[in-house]
Amino acid sequence: MDHPIFLSAAAAAPRSKPSNYPPVFAARMEGRIKRQLGDAFGLRNFGVNLTELRPGACSALHHAHSHQDEFIFVLEGEPLLVTGEGVESLLRPGDCAGFPAGGPAHHLENRTGNPVRYLEIGDRTEGDTASYPADDLMALREDGAWRFCHKDGRPW
């Protein structure tokens, strides 16, 4: 498959499936739009998304990774970064945050009346597990995809 050398990030098509979460959780991602820039270039070792959060939207369920590192860089708007046990930090354009594997759970929320746009970058480590402290959900990355199950191991 041929991939471009460059593109306008804002013109990249939004992800066709708004969320990979099971339907009961996917509904909570309304107002989040991801443009998979890494996939557009055929990148295999890490992903890059241009993500927009409309007012009231959140980036993901509150989660932490066992093996994957994540990094965000705020381009526009003022998202609220929620980490650990509800610690909140207001981010502004030019701010960035990093989440090493095994670090605290985290997510972003847009509690303003304006859109938030940021870049999110993460590796694609096979065998990574994502834990979701506030939800009956866990995920395992295998064969290039996420497999979701309940915390007791039953599949969704």
Side-chain angles (χ1 to χ4, degrees):
M1 175 182 221
D2 290 327
H3 298 284
I5 301 292
F6 69 93
L7 59 78
S8 169
R15 187 163 85 176
S16 60
K17 186 177 179 185
S19 174
N20 291 328
Y21 292 134
V24 66
F25 300 109
R28 292 169 43 192
M29 296 300 101
E30 187 171 333
R32 180 188 74 181
I33 301 166
K34 286 187 181 234
R35 299 175 192 281
Q36 295 175 290
L37 304 180
D39 289 357
F41 293 105
L43 302 182
R44 294 182 302 269
N45 296 320
F46 64 94
V48 180
N49 297 316
L50 173 60
T51 303
E52 177 180 336
L53 300 179
R54 293 184 177 149
C58 65
S59 62
L61 300 176
H62 198 64
H63 70 285
H65 290 276
S66 65
H67 292 75
Q68 183 184 97
D69 291 335
E70 290 183 278
F71 176 86
I72 62 160
F73 183 87
V74 178
L75 301 168
E76 178 182 338
E78 296 184 340
L80 193 67
L81 170 61
V82 181
T83 57
E85 298 298 319
V87 176
E88 299 179 349
S89 303
L90 185 65
L91 304 180
R92 294 186 170 84
D95 288 347
C96 56
F99 310 100
H106 56 276
H107 72 279
L108 296 173
E109 297 179 9
N110 182 0
R111 296 184 186 172
T112 74
N114 299 308
V116 165
R117 287 185 186 82
Y118 60 95
L119 289 174
E120 57 185 14
I121 303 162
D123 65 73
R124 298 178 179 192
T125 305
E126 287 293 307
D128 183 28
T129 57
S131 60
Y132 299 86
D135 295 291
D136 181 21
L137 184 68
M138 46 186 260
L140 174 63
R141 182 157 180 93
E142 53 189 13
D143 298 324
W146 288 103
R147 182 176 56 83
F148 293 95
C149 59
H150 294 267
K151 287 181 178 174
D152 66 7
R154 289 177 295 125
W156 269 99

